Amino acid sequence: MTVTESPAESALTADEQRVDALVTELLAAYPPKSTDPTTFLGAQFDAGLAWVHFPVGHGGLGLNPKLQKLINERVFAEGAPHTGARNPIGHGMCGPTVAVWGSEAQKTRYLRPLFTCEEIWCQLFSEPGAGSDFAGLSSRGVRDGDEWICNGQKVWTTLAHVARWGLLVVRTDPQAVKHAGLTAFVVDMHAPTVEVKPLRQMTGEAEFNEVFFTDTRIPSSEMLGGPGDGWRVSLTTLMNERVSIGGAIPAKGSGTIRDLVKTWQALPAERQTPAARDEVMKLWVRAELLRLTNIRANQNRKMGDPGPEGSIGKGASAELNKDIYAMIVDLMGADGMLYGSYEMTRPASALNFDTMQKAFLRMRANSIEGGTTEVMKNILGERVLGLPGDVRVDRDRPWSEVPRN
Ligand SMILES: Cc1cc2nc3c(=O)[nH]c(=O)nc-3n(C[C@H](O)[C@H](O)[C@H](O)COP(=O)(O)OP(=O)(O)OC[C@H]3O[C@@H](n4cnc5c(N)ncnc54)[C@H](O)[C@@H]3O)c2cc1C
């Protein structure tokens, strides 16, 4: 029997060749090791290799998103800068949201400096009374001619202290049911009416912040989508967030599991007990399973945004990372208790792990940030497995009539 490629497969091969040739050109014209990061990332964006599935002219080539893996592997192998590390919220969540919901003017204005990291972004969703139940948020936006006046408080806003722009969701119609009354905006984080205060984590770092808006005026042209589209806009952000956090496909044996293997290998022989080896191997198998699951999800991904199945990688990676670093600290024995300083610092980027002890403390947040593990299970149960839904007593009531503290 002769096996022939389907039209889709041969088309993909042609796309792969095209992308591969563009990467070769990029690396030849801008060798990453001798090119300054902003120039390299700008050239990568202009070649359509930033987010390959974005439209032509806006950092992409309108191709299947799985081709991004091919690009990333080649450029990172040559030492290229990584936007996801320096501008994680911008790269993983805000950029994809602007690409789907932004006007042509917004895409042109925001995407390139976001990708080059000349402008850092933050995501202003969570509030003191609205985290998992984000659609119940209370910050208000009131129209005043061609502007919207926004008031309220956001919390846990990662990198707000270095952000140039924020993706803000506020309630613009309190009489509508909670999901229908939201609107999304791009907000200028340098406006004098925006106040950013650090929130210290148990690592000692303040990666995130409280953000207060007091009569902050935002032009209507900075809306993403239309009035009342805020929930749908946010879903684009949240779906991308889950894949950005939990969908990584490291090379086999790399990623967080490498830290465990290195810790194991550095142990004196008498501490490499069979019981500990068994635990290390179980974690290695879980890491490999997650890697293969994410490869499969990436292969199955069609054009457009990730679906609810992104919650698999998000939930699994959170629990795995916590277990890996707990095991590392366990293997380190008394050394695992040593910690440099809890003095508050305000880092310029998130997720900097200079020690295993710090990584252990920071990983505890993995099952909270980007949606808790319990909420991921709800999403998978309801939207992937079709199980009966969570109890939602406020779904059909106007937000203004829902009792709250
Ligand atoms: C490190 C870090 C960075 C973050 N960065 C940002 C950011 O940049 N921008 C931003 O907007 N937010 C950010 N967050 C906030 C994050 O999205 C919220 O903390 C998260 O959604 C949970 O909300 P909450 O803290 O209000 O907890 P709650 O929603 O109050 O949840 C409390 C507990 O109840 C459980 N629970 C709640 N509802 C249900 C349910 N229906 N079924 C079962 N269990 C439930 C939760 O799982 C949790 O255990 C960050 C958080 C962390 C830890």
Side-chain angles (χ1 to χ4, degrees):
M1 190 177 78
T2 313
V3 179
T4 50
E5 280 185 333
S6 70
E9 281 167 335
S10 50
L12 190 65
T13 306
D15 287 345
E16 277 173 352
Q17 284 171 355
R18 179 177 162 212
V19 164
D20 204 44
L22 285 170
V23 175
T24 303
E25 271 174 40
L26 173 74
L27 292 172
Y30 302 91
K33 289 188 181 120
S34 54
T35 307
D36 103 280
T38 310
T39 307
F40 180 86
L41 291 170
Q44 183 176 349
F45 183 94
D46 295 339
L49 301 173
W51 295 269
V52 74
H53 59 296
F54 280 19
V56 174
H58 293 305
L61 298 167
L63 297 178
N64 189 303
K66 71 177 130 182
L67 293 170
Q68 193 67 44
K69 182 168 178 287
L70 186 155
I71 300 166
N72 291 352
E73 281 171 359
R74 285 201 58 200
V75 299
F76 295 149
E78 295 296 319
H82 192 337
T83 302
R86 294 168 62 202
N87 194 3
I89 312 290
H91 181 254
M93 299 92 161
C94 302
T97 308
V98 170
V100 173
W101 292 95
S103 61
E104 276 304 299
Q106 285 171 317
K107 286 185 234 182
T108 304
R109 166 64 188 84
Y110 293 127
L111 291 175
R112 194 177 192 278
L114 183 160
F115 188 75
T116 61
C117 302
E118 289 164 282
E119 293 179 345
I120 305 296
W121 281 64
C122 66
Q123 174 192 358
L124 298 147
F125 284 21
S126 303
E127 297 185 359
S132 301
D133 182 26
F134 151 66
L137 62 81
S138 311
S139 289
R140 291 291 316 276
V142 177
R143 188 196 288 267
D144 181 30
D146 277 347
E147 292 181 322
W148 292 75
I149 303 173
C150 295
N151 282 284
Q153 180 192 350
K154 297 290 174 175
V155 74
W156 319 126
T157 317
T158 302
L159 298 179
H161 54 290
V162 289
R164 179 68 188 84
W165 304 105
L167 173 51
L168 172 68
V169 181
V170 292
R171 186 163 304 283
T172 48
D173 183 359
Q175 309 317 324
V177 295
K178 65 178 182 181
H179 290 91
L182 304 175
T183 302
F185 294 94
V186 176
V187 63
D188 178 356
M189 294 298 290
H190 289 177
T193 52
V194 179
E195 188 184 3
V196 179
K197 291 186 180 173
L199 272 178
R200 186 174 169 186
Q201 293 150 249
M202 66 177 167
T203 54
E205 289 188 335
E207 284 175 340
F208 51 34
N209 305 268
E210 295 177 289
V211 181
F212 298 86
F213 296 93
T214 309
D215 291 336
T216 303
R217 287 183 168 271
I218 307 179
S220 293
S221 56
E222 291 304 349
M223 193 179 286
L224 291 169
D229 279 339
W231 175 248
R232 292 195 302 137
V233 175
S234 309
L235 282 182
T236 302
T237 314
L238 295 173
M239 299 286 190
N240 279 286
E241 179 171 35
R242 282 158 203 158
V243 173
S244 164
I245 294 176
I249 305 176
K252 190 172 184 173
S254 69
T256 54
I257 196 67
R258 183 169 49 196
D259 284 344
L260 177 58
V261 172
K262 272 167 55 185
T263 308
W264 170 261
Q265 287 169 341
L267 281 183
E270 70 276 11
R271 283 173 54 198
Q272 290 185 337
T273 64
R277 179 190 294 271
D278 190 43
E279 291 305 314
V280 170
M281 277 314 300
K282 279 185 196 158
L283 288 165
W284 195 92
V285 169
R286 272 173 66 190
E288 184 58 7
L289 209 64
L290 174 62
R291 196 180 76 87
L292 296 175
T293 303
N294 281 341
I295 289 176
R296 190 174 55 175
N298 185 265
Q299 291 296 325
N300 287 340
R301 206 175 139 193
K302 308 281 187 298
M303 291 304 289
D305 290 312
E309 64 283 355
S311 297
I312 299 173
K314 164 68 179 80
S317 71
E319 300 308 320
L320 175 68
N321 286 343
K322 290 200 303 185
D323 291 346
I324 284 176
Y325 287 93
M327 184 70 199
I328 289 175
V329 169
D330 215 11
L331 290 176
M332 289 168 78
D335 285 350
M337 293 187 284
L338 297 177
Y339 199 75
S341 165
Y342 293 101
E343 205 60 41
M344 189 176 89
T345 54
R346 302 193 84 187
S349 59
L351 297 164
N352 305 305
F353 306 134
D354 32 10
T355 65
M356 291 298 142
Q357 293 92 330
K358 190 173 183 181
F360 164 71
L361 292 179
R362 179 59 181 78
M363 289 299 174
R364 312 313 294 170
N366 277 191
S367 51
I368 306 172
E369 60 197 315
T372 68
T373 296
E374 291 77 16
V375 168
M376 293 307 114
K377 287 180 181 169
N378 280 352
I379 293 170
L380 292 172
E382 293 178 28
R383 300 197 46 207
V384 177
L385 300 176
L387 296 175
D390 205 1
V391 178
R392 293 187 178 89
V393 289
D394 57 355
R395 192 172 50 187
D396 300 322
R397 296 175 77 173
W399 179 83
S400 57
E401 291 174 16
V402 176
R404 64 182 60 80
N405 294 331

